Amino acid sequence: MKHTIYITFSSCWQLGSGYGDGYKSDSTMLRDEEGLLRLSGRTLKGALREGAARLSRCRDDLKKAEEIVFGTNSAEDKNNQSGLIRVSAGLLNAGLRQALLQNTGCEDILEDLLCRRKQTALDAEKQIKKGSLRNIECGIPGIQFEATVSIENSNIDEKWIYQYLKAVCAAVKSIGSNRSRGLGSCIITLKDDTAKAELPPVLDIKEN
């Protein structure tokens, strides 16, 4: 069972590569092999799991669905189970990606998709720590990514899973770093589905 999801950012956002680029930024954005912005599958899966965790507080069957779909991760459980969900990396919207790759001025256009923000750390007294000023590279609002979500070997009804994934996507509020500072607000939707997301009906879920 595979579905395409769209991730559209409604604020500036930051998903760092772990590297800086000298005087411009202390933290640059994650890019793919073509030099274009991307979202890691691990980050997307973590965001979807956060959405699933929000839903799991609503009903017992949704808690069970989270464990089956995303796996268990209790520090006290030595028999944690891996989940059934697989999430690909998020790539730029196909049309924009094609336009960028066909344009010889790709780097210049890519710069227009970026902004830079200054960030400082605070001490225990809420004062700025000396020498903590950093420049971070961010993506601008409005950028859309596409990713593939697949769920394998599930004995749960496919229609129910579809409604569950739809609700999980709607429950995700942000992705990436510095979310406590207002970065990363986003909307995630399933492909070709603009209807309002609602919780799936209660289901008696049995494990494989």
Side-chain angles (χ1 to χ4, degrees):
M1 183 191 316
K2 290 186 178 181
H3 293 287
T4 298
I5 59 172
Y6 294 142
I7 306 97
T8 306
F9 285 96
S10 54
S11 73
C12 293
W13 55 282
Q14 213 271 337
L15 188 60
S17 64
Y19 300 98
D21 63 355
Y23 72 94
K24 282 187 178 181
S25 301
D26 297 292
S27 177
T28 59
M29 295 286 280
L30 188 65
R31 290 171 168 78
D32 63 19
E33 64 277 2
E34 303 288 352
L36 303 181
L37 298 175
R38 77 177 178 95
L39 307 175
S40 72
R42 182 177 180 180
T43 295
L44 287 177
K45 183 178 178 181
L48 292 173
R49 172 124 210 189
E50 285 187 14
R54 291 190 180 97
L55 297 185
S56 71
R57 296 193 286 268
C58 299
R59 296 194 322 239
D60 289 343
D61 65 315
L62 297 179
K63 175 61 177 176
K64 191 64 178 178
E66 179 195 353
E67 293 176 350
I68 294 173
V69 173
F70 291 91
T72 57
N73 58 3
S74 172
E76 300 176 356
D77 189 350
K78 296 182 179 179
N79 298 310
N80 281 319
Q81 301 295 315
S82 60
L84 304 178
I85 193 168
R86 301 292 181 268
V87 185
S88 74
L91 302 179
L92 286 171
N93 173 276
L96 175 59
R97 182 178 179 82
Q98 183 178 11
L100 286 171
L101 292 177
Q102 290 178 345
N103 195 304
T104 55
C106 175
E107 280 299 320
D108 292 334
I109 298 175
L110 182 58
E111 277 294 313
D112 292 335
L113 303 180
L114 300 171
C115 62
R116 289 173 177 79
R117 294 170 62 115
K118 296 185 183 299
Q119 176 180 290
T120 57
L122 302 179
D123 60 23
E125 298 178 353
K126 305 298 183 182
Q127 300 297 314
I128 296 175
K129 289 184 179 180
K130 185 177 180 180
S132 68
L133 179 64
R134 300 174 69 241
N135 291 311
I136 61 172
E137 190 177 71
C138 299
I140 63 172
I143 299 179
Q144 186 180 81
F145 292 84
E146 300 175 359
T148 299
V149 174
S150 59
I151 296 180
E152 304 171 356
N153 303 320
S154 174
N155 63 350
I156 306 175
D157 179 73
E158 287 193 10
K159 290 183 178 179
W160 193 95
I161 284 287
Y162 177 82
Q163 291 297 325
Y164 175 69
L165 285 178
K166 185 175 173 182
V168 166
C169 288
V172 177
K173 304 303 180 186
S174 59
I175 292 176
S177 307
N178 295 292
R179 287 177 287 173
S180 63
R181 299 186 182 220
L183 296 182
S185 296
C186 66
I187 297 173
I188 303 181
T189 55
L190 289 175
K191 183 179 181 180
D192 300 329
D193 195 343
T194 58
K196 182 180 179 181
E198 298 178 348
L199 291 180
V202 175
L203 185 68
D204 181 18
I205 298 177
K206 297 181 176 63
E207 298 184 65
N208 289 322

